[in-house]
Amino acid sequence: MHDDNQISYFRPLGAHERLLFHYSVDHPRHFCIAAYLKAERCGDDYLVAFNAVRERHPLLRAGICLSADGSPVFFACDDAADPILVSREQYWHWTDVVEHELEVDFDAAGPLHRAAVLWHPTGAFVILTFHHAIADGMAGIAIVEDLMRSLAGEALEPLAVPQAVEIHGVCQADLATSDCPASVRMLPSEQDLIDVAGQPLWRDFKNDRVSVSSGSLDGALAERLHQIARQESTTINSVICVALALAARDVEKRDDYTIMRQLICGRL
């Protein structure tokens, strides 16, 4: 709980964001976007570019706290950390950094993203880590693109706080009225979201260790994945996940194989 008089609020979390926030309390869920940028830049150039990107996107400066009525809200967080800038000689492979980032949980009351740059005068690996309440894969890619634009010397215009995908801010008393849209009446209550988020996982992951490996795709396959992703308005990661699920269905010879659907909305 925070003192409402001392905090600058952005907005309440939408239903999808609230579910991810409550879920992360018991089952931390964050993800990394890794990119290699081939550019002749010094370390300070990346710091300047990251500051410009952070000023452009309000949720990169956001934390989550509970308002007076107990609902989670995004607020302006003043202690956002600068990106970690290290020499590529210190980390021989970017996967080492990703493993470390995935093992470090977020404090929701602090910044909900982190950045690390494995820097070299001829290029850098950039690793961005996001809390799922503020971003998804498409939003992460947009941040990388803005970073590239800033490194190229382009000025980035500030954006407004993005609206939640779901309709929010409707009083519970209004949900039962005939004038209330059906999509709003179907929104879950806060307790419903907490109950869903508190359900146990299919197994205990407590003592697991994160292990990240990398591979490469040939040009023709990569281009085909790009085409499908654009056609379906989703990410390459989602295309690959669906392909793997379909392959697993065939291997297991099942007709009732269900692919879990995930909302892709580019929340930043």
Side-chain angles (χ1 to χ4, degrees):
M1 181 73 67
H2 287 74
D3 183 353
D4 286 356
N5 295 323
Q6 303 298 322
I7 290 182
S8 175
Y9 291 107
F10 285 142
R11 65 164 172 80
L13 276 66
H16 184 65
E17 295 162 336
R18 285 183 283 138
L19 176 61
L20 291 170
F21 165 68
H22 291 307
Y23 190 82
S24 69
V25 173
D26 293 323
H27 313 296
R29 283 295 179 272
H30 46 286
F31 69 98
C32 293
I33 294 286
Y36 177 69
L37 306 183
K38 188 176 181 180
E40 295 183 1
R41 297 290 187 272
C42 67
D44 287 344
D45 290 334
Y46 289 96
L47 297 179
V48 172
F50 267 110
N51 284 332
V53 172
R54 188 163 53 199
E55 289 302 312
R56 174 172 168 80
H57 297 277
L59 291 188
L60 293 183
R61 311 188 303 274
I64 298 175
C65 66
L66 300 182
S67 63
D69 64 0
S71 60
V73 296
F74 289 122
F75 73 97
C77 187
D78 296 328
D79 57 350
D82 287 331
I84 298 174
L85 191 65
V86 297
S87 168
R88 280 169 56 185
E89 295 179 356
Q90 182 176 347
Y91 285 96
W92 287 101
H93 207 281
W94 58 268
T95 56
D96 297 334
V97 179
V98 173
E99 289 181 356
H100 171 74
E101 287 294 325
L102 293 178
E103 289 180 343
V104 177
D105 297 338
F106 278 102
D107 177 1
L112 301 177
H113 91 289
R114 297 188 293 263
V117 180
L118 307 187
W119 173 78
H120 186 271
T122 61
F125 284 99
V126 176
I127 294 93
L128 305 176
T129 307
F130 300 94
H131 192 296
H132 253 309
I134 69 165
D136 55 21
M138 294 181 71
I141 292 171
I143 295 300
V144 173
E145 291 176 345
D146 279 347
L147 178 63
M148 294 170 63
R149 291 168 55 201
S150 183
L151 285 169
E154 183 177 340
L156 302 180
E157 294 294 329
L159 298 174
V161 177
Q163 294 184 350
V165 175
E166 309 85 354
I167 301 173
H168 61 274
V170 180
C171 295
Q172 290 295 319
D174 295 334
L175 298 182
T177 66
S178 58
D179 294 335
C180 184
S183 59
V184 175
R185 293 198 300 269
M186 292 174 61
L187 288 179
S189 69
E190 200 72 33
Q191 189 57 53
D192 289 338
L193 293 171
I194 293 174
D195 291 343
V196 171
Q199 294 178 4
L201 300 177
W202 61 93
R203 72 174 182 85
D204 186 2
F205 290 85
K206 183 176 180 180
N207 296 318
D208 286 4
R209 298 278 299 179
V210 175
S211 178
V212 178
S213 58
S214 64
S216 61
L217 303 176
D218 66 70
L221 177 56
E223 178 57 29
R224 180 58 179 150
L225 292 174
H226 275 289
Q227 292 175 355
I228 296 174
R230 286 193 294 266
Q231 176 183 325
E232 302 297 334
S233 298
T234 188
T235 63
I236 292 179
N237 177 70
S238 296
V239 173
I240 293 175
C241 287
V242 171
L244 290 172
L246 292 174
R249 180 198 63 182
D250 293 340
V251 170
E252 297 175 6
K253 302 185 184 307
R254 291 173 55 180
D255 295 328
D256 60 344
Y257 206 91
T258 300
I259 300 172
M260 183 176 181
R261 289 170 293 181
Q262 171 64 44
L263 177 65
I264 298 295
C265 56
R267 290 186 292 279
L268 278 170

